[in-house]
Amino acid sequence: MDNLWFAFGLTMAAGLSTGIGGLISVRRRNPGPRFMAGALGFSAGVMLYVSMMEILPKGVDQLTEAWGKVNGNWAAVGAFFAGIALIAIIDRLVPEPINPHEPGTIDDPEVSAQRRRMMKMGTMTALAIGIHNFPEGFATFISAMEDPQLAIPVAVAIAIHNIPEGIAVAVPIHQATGSRRKALSWTFLSGLAEPAGALVGFLVLMPFLGPVTMGVAFGMVAGVMVFISLDELLPAAEATGRHHTSVYGLIAGMATMAVSLLLFL
C-alpha cells in the first residue's frame, strides 16, 4: 500500500509539470509576432520530435513483440496514418469554438477568426497530449509499483519533457482568450491525464492491456500529433510573418525534447 501512494504521487507530479510550461508561456501579457512565431514553432518541434522519435517507435516495439518484425511494422504504420485520418475527420466535423464574450473581436472578423483558430489549435493540442500522457502515466505508475528507485529517474525524465508540452498547449489558448487562467487550466488538464492513466489502469485496464492495444494507441497518437503540428501549429507560426523565427523555434523545440529524452537513458 505504501508503494501504491508513492507511485500515484510520483505520477501526479510528473503529469502536472505541464503546468510549469504553462507558467513559462503566459508571462507575457501581449505577446508580439516574434514571440508567437517562436513559441508556436517551438511547440511544433516538440510534438514532431516526440511523435517520430519516441511515441511511434514505442508503437513499433509493442506491435513487433506481438506480431513479428514485418507485420508489426506494417501495423504501426497503419495505426500512424489511421491517427492522421481520425484527427483530419475531427478537424472537418468539429465546428470552430466561438467566444462572443471576448471584447474587441466581434466587430473585427479577421481578429475573431484568428482567435477561433488559436482556440481550436490549443484544445486539439491539449487533447493529443492528454491522450499521449494517459499511457505514459500508466507506465510510470507500474514502474513505481515494481521498483520505486527505477521509477524516480523515469518520472523526472517525463516531467522534463512535459514542460515544453505545456507550452504547446498554453501558447495558442492564451493568444485566443487573453486569459492566463484559461491557458494554465488547459495545461494542467492535459497533465492530469497521467494520474488518470495511473488510476484507470490500476482499477480497470491492467488485465486487458497488452502489446497490441498499446502499440496501436501509440501509433495513432503519433499520427494525431504530427497532423496537428503540420496543419495547425506551423501554419499559424508562419502566418505571423516571422518565417526564420518559426524555423528557429521549431529546431529549438526538437532540441529541447531530444535532450529531455536523452537525460535518463
Side-chain angles (χ1 to χ4, degrees):
M1 183 59 69
D2 290 341
N3 269 8
L4 173 66
W5 290 111
F6 170 78
F8 188 76
L10 198 64
T11 306
M12 176 76 78
L16 292 182
S17 64
T18 52
I20 299 173
L23 287 169
I24 292 170
S25 69
V26 301
R27 291 184 65 186
R28 291 176 178 240
R29 184 176 296 276
N30 295 305
R34 185 185 297 273
F35 175 81
M36 286 303 301
L40 290 169
F42 182 91
S43 301
V46 166
M47 294 183 70
L48 287 170
Y49 193 91
V50 76
S51 297
M52 303 306 294
M53 299 300 292
E54 183 191 29
I55 303 175
L56 184 57
K58 281 184 178 179
V60 171
D61 290 343
Q62 295 283 349
L63 290 168
T64 53
E65 177 185 332
W67 290 338
K69 183 177 181 179
V70 175
N71 291 336
N73 274 276
W74 274 101
V77 170
F80 175 79
F81 285 103
I84 290 177
L86 175 63
I87 196 63
I89 292 169
I90 292 172
D91 187 43
R92 289 289 183 180
L93 296 180
V94 175
E96 292 182 337
I98 298 173
N99 186 356
H101 303 294
E102 286 295 327
T105 61
I106 297 174
D107 297 328
D108 190 337
E110 184 177 345
V111 174
S112 182
Q114 182 186 23
R115 290 199 171 190
R116 288 198 301 270
R117 185 182 180 194
M118 284 288 182
M119 189 66 195
K120 181 181 179 182
M121 184 194 313
T123 53
M124 289 176 69
T125 301
L127 177 63
I129 288 175
I131 294 170
H132 161 48
N133 285 350
F134 191 90
E136 216 173 57
F138 181 65
T140 305
F141 179 81
I142 293 303
S143 64
M145 287 289 289
E146 294 180 356
D147 187 348
Q149 289 186 335
L150 176 65
I152 291 174
V154 170
V156 171
I158 288 173
I160 289 171
H161 85 246
N162 276 352
I163 292 173
E165 289 179 355
I167 295 173
V169 173
V171 167
I173 291 179
H174 186 216
Q175 180 72 0
T177 65
S179 170
R180 296 182 180 187
R181 180 177 297 179
K182 288 181 181 178
L184 289 173
S185 296
W186 277 98
T187 60
F188 281 111
L189 189 63
S190 65
L192 281 174
E194 290 202 12
L199 185 62
V200 173
F202 179 72
L203 296 176
V204 180
L205 297 179
M206 197 181 296
F208 306 102
L209 285 180
V212 173
T213 305
M214 295 300 293
V216 170
F218 280 130
M220 292 188 71
V221 168
V224 167
M225 294 178 76
V226 166
F227 182 89
I228 291 171
S229 299
L230 299 179
D231 185 62
E232 300 283 348
L233 292 171
L234 278 179
E238 287 286 334
T240 64
R242 302 281 185 167
H243 168 75
H244 287 99
T245 305
S246 303
V247 174
Y248 299 151
L250 176 77
I251 294 169
M254 288 183 171
T256 300
M257 185 54 65
V259 171
S260 77
L261 296 174
L262 289 172
L263 284 176
F264 293 97
L265 286 178

